[in-house]
Amino acid sequence: EALARFPEENPSPVLRVLPTGLIRYMNRAAAEMFAAAAWPPNDGIPNKWRITVAETLASGQPQELEVQAGSCTYLCKLAPSPDEQYVNIYALEITERVAIEGQLTTSEALQHAILESALDSIITINHKGEIIEWNSAAEKTFGYTRREVMGKPMHEYIVPHRMRSMHKNGMERYMRTGEGPVLGKRIEISGLRA
């Protein structure tokens, strides 16, 4: 009896759906999701879900479906039971995650716009000294395209040969101590050009 109550007590939506799209079972959270989206449960699942249910049953493989229900977004995991001819749907609300992903995308687009509109060369390297950002001003200044230098050691492209050992020592010191004499300062030094 306790096991039978398990889906009903789940705070996330749980449904069992027949191949026709009719709902055989839905817990309280699923009923609330349907009410928020103004989907009449007696009509079965929304039409756009029916294709995924059919594909899930045909393949016998679990699938995922992201759906909007009212103001909430859900990630639905569809688990087939081909022998019994139904699909269990387990939904998880991901509204906050989707909002954060949207903000991140906007932030990345803004960062890209700033980097590309900058008049100064902006070059970013990782802890290994490999180039992970190279804006269009850097392309003009140093004569290499972004594609040519991404993931490559910066010193091979712009650090003059006579300064490479100082650069290497400085990188090693920074990785050991977190300190570097040129960090946070505007400096002007010679660099190589293609």
Side-chain angles (χ1 to χ4, degrees):
E1 185 179 318
L3 188 57
R5 286 195 321 263
F6 180 69
E8 189 58 39
E9 294 171 352
N10 191 329
S12 294
V14 177
L15 299 100
R16 179 165 288 172
V17 179
L18 300 174
T20 60
L22 292 177
I23 299 168
R24 188 169 180 187
Y25 169 82
M26 73 167 34
N27 70 354
R28 194 175 4 223
E32 291 169 3
M33 177 178 75
F34 270 62
W39 297 326
N42 293 339
D43 292 349
I45 57 174
N47 286 332
K48 63 181 180 179
W49 296 26
R50 292 175 192 244
I51 295 168
T52 308
V53 165
E55 290 171 353
T56 303
L57 276 171
S59 70
Q61 298 297 315
Q63 298 204 35
E64 292 185 350
L65 177 67
E66 194 171 297
V67 299
Q68 192 70 32
S71 62
C72 296
T73 305
Y74 292 87
L75 178 62
C76 298
K77 297 191 181 260
L78 287 74
S81 180
D83 295 339
E84 301 293 327
Q85 284 297 298
Y86 64 78
V87 172
N88 285 335
I89 301 175
Y90 305 96
L92 179 65
E93 189 193 341
I94 59 169
T95 307
E96 187 175 336
R97 185 184 91 187
V98 169
I100 290 169
E101 288 172 352
Q103 291 168 355
L104 181 60
T105 300
T106 300
S107 175
E108 288 172 347
L110 179 60
Q111 176 188 358
H112 179 75
I114 291 169
L115 288 173
E116 288 308 305
S117 64
L119 299 176
D120 292 328
S121 297
I122 299 176
I123 303 165
T124 306
I125 58 173
N126 64 15
H127 67 284
K128 298 179 198 171
E130 299 165 338
I131 298 167
I132 58 172
E133 187 56 66
W134 182 272
N135 73 348
S136 56
E139 287 183 340
K140 292 174 188 143
T141 301
F142 296 104
Y144 296 103
T145 65
R146 184 175 201 275
R147 177 177 278 164
E148 289 176 285
V149 298
M150 290 298 286
K152 307 274 177 54
M154 181 185 72
H155 69 270
E156 291 181 10
Y157 289 87
I158 67 170
V159 178
H161 295 284
R162 61 181 161 65
M163 299 175 80
R164 288 189 181 172
S165 64
M166 287 189 316
H167 172 74
K168 183 180 177 206
N169 292 338
M171 286 293 293
E172 288 172 356
R173 180 176 53 252
Y174 173 72
M175 292 308 297
R176 256 191 343 270
T177 66
E179 297 175 6
V182 298
L183 292 178
K185 296 178 183 169
R186 184 179 279 270
I187 61 168
E188 188 171 318
I189 58 173
S190 298
L192 293 179
R193 183 168 164 69

